[in-house]
Amino acid sequence: MKKKVLLIAALFTAGLSFAQDGLTSKKGVPILPEAGDWSIGFDASNLLKFGGNMLNGNTSNTLSSFGSQNAGMISGKKIIDANKAYRVMGNLGFGTSTNSPATDTTVTTSGFDLGVGLGIENRRGKGRLQGVYGPMASISFGTGSTETEGGDSSAATTRTVTPGAKISLGVSYFAGVEYFFAPKMSLGAEVSYGFNLNIVGESEDEFKTSATTTSTKADGSTSINLGQTPNAMISLNFYF
C-alpha cells in the first residue's frame, strides 16, 4: 500500500514537469482522448512489480494471468467531453491451489471473486497531465473453501471449511492523475476512500471419516466498514 502511494506521488511530480508539452504527436496525432472515445485499462501494479523484481534480481518473478485472484482490475471509460467521462471497473478472479504441509496430508484451497463498479469521472487539465476525480458505486461477491485430506487408508479423514459467501456494496470517492506518455495512451494513479456494507452468509465446517460425517454451521453477519486507509491503484490505459 505504501509503495503504491509513493509511486502515485512520484507520477504526479514527474507529470508536472511535462505538462506544457504539445497536445499532438510529431505526426499530428492527438495526444489526449476526444469526445466519443472509449478506453480500456489494466491494473499496472502487477506489471510494475514484475519489472522491479527483474531489476533487483528476484528469481521467483511471474505475472498473474487473467482470471487469477491476483490479476487486478480491468476498467473502461466513455469520454463525454474534455471534462467528463463515464467509467466502469470489473474484476473476475478464481483459482485453486494444492499443497502437502505434512506426510499423508493434502490441502486444497479454492476461491472465486467477482466485482463491478460504475462511476462518473470529472477531468481537469490542459496538457499531458490530467486530474481525475469523482464518485463510484460498486458491488462484489466472493466465495471459497479449504479442504484438508489426511490419514492412511484405514482411517482416512476429510475436513472441508466453507466460509459464508460474501456480498459487498460500496460507495467511494476517487481522485488521481493520468499522464499521457503517447497518443491516447496513459499511465494513471489514483486513491479512493469510502464505505462498504458487507453481508456474509452462513459458514460450514464438515468433518468426514470412513464411518461418520459431522457438520458444524455458524450464522452469517452484516457489517458496515468505513475505510481506515485509502485504496490505491495504478493503471495503464488505451483510448480508441
Side-chain angles (χ1 to χ4, degrees):
M1 173 63 194
K2 290 182 179 179
K3 291 182 178 179
K4 285 186 178 181
V5 173
L6 290 173
L7 186 54
I8 288 171
L11 177 62
F12 180 79
T13 303
L16 290 177
S17 64
F18 292 99
Q20 301 304 316
D21 287 357
L23 299 183
T24 60
S25 68
K26 293 181 179 180
K27 296 182 179 181
V29 179
I31 298 293
L32 303 180
E34 302 168 290
D37 283 356
W38 293 82
S39 81
I40 183 170
F42 304 92
D43 187 340
S45 303
N46 184 47
L47 181 62
L48 292 173
K49 179 181 177 182
F50 179 82
N53 285 342
M54 288 183 66
L55 294 175
N56 65 27
N58 192 318
T59 57
S60 62
N61 198 21
T62 60
L63 285 171
S64 297
S65 59
F66 177 75
S68 72
Q69 290 185 290
N70 296 318
M73 286 282 185
I74 296 178
S75 63
K77 298 181 186 180
K78 167 68 172 180
I79 301 297
I80 305 305
D81 54 41
N83 299 317
K84 184 177 180 180
Y86 296 131
R87 59 157 59 185
V88 59
M89 303 182 74
N91 179 64
L92 174 62
F94 51 89
T96 300
S97 63
T98 301
N99 62 81
S100 299
T103 304
D104 296 326
T105 300
T106 301
V107 179
T108 302
T109 303
S110 61
F112 173 84
D113 297 296
L114 176 64
V116 177
L118 298 173
I120 298 175
E121 180 179 281
N122 299 297
R123 304 177 64 86
R124 292 290 184 272
K126 297 182 180 180
R128 290 175 178 255
L129 183 68
Q130 301 281 301
V132 297
Y133 59 93
M136 285 283 296
S138 63
I139 181 171
S140 63
F141 172 82
T143 186
S145 66
T146 301
E147 182 180 271
T148 303
E149 295 180 298
D152 56 32
S153 59
S154 62
T157 62
T158 300
R159 181 186 181 188
T160 303
V161 178
T162 306
K166 180 179 178 180
I167 297 177
S168 181
L169 304 174
V171 177
S172 62
Y173 198 89
F174 66 89
V177 294
E178 190 173 7
Y179 179 70
F180 287 84
F181 58 88
K184 299 192 177 184
M185 298 174 61
S186 71
L187 186 64
E190 64 185 55
V191 294
S192 62
Y193 189 85
F195 71 90
N196 292 322
L197 170 63
N198 303 307
I199 303 171
V200 181
E202 183 182 72
S203 61
E204 182 177 15
D205 189 344
E206 184 182 75
F207 188 80
K208 291 182 179 181
T209 68
S210 56
T212 63
T213 298
T214 59
S215 178
T216 302
K217 295 184 179 181
D219 294 336
S221 63
T222 300
S223 63
I224 296 178
N225 296 329
L226 180 64
Q228 296 180 347
T229 57
N231 292 317
M233 186 180 75
I234 300 167
S235 61
L236 182 62
N237 308 289
F238 303 90
Y239 292 81
F240 51 91

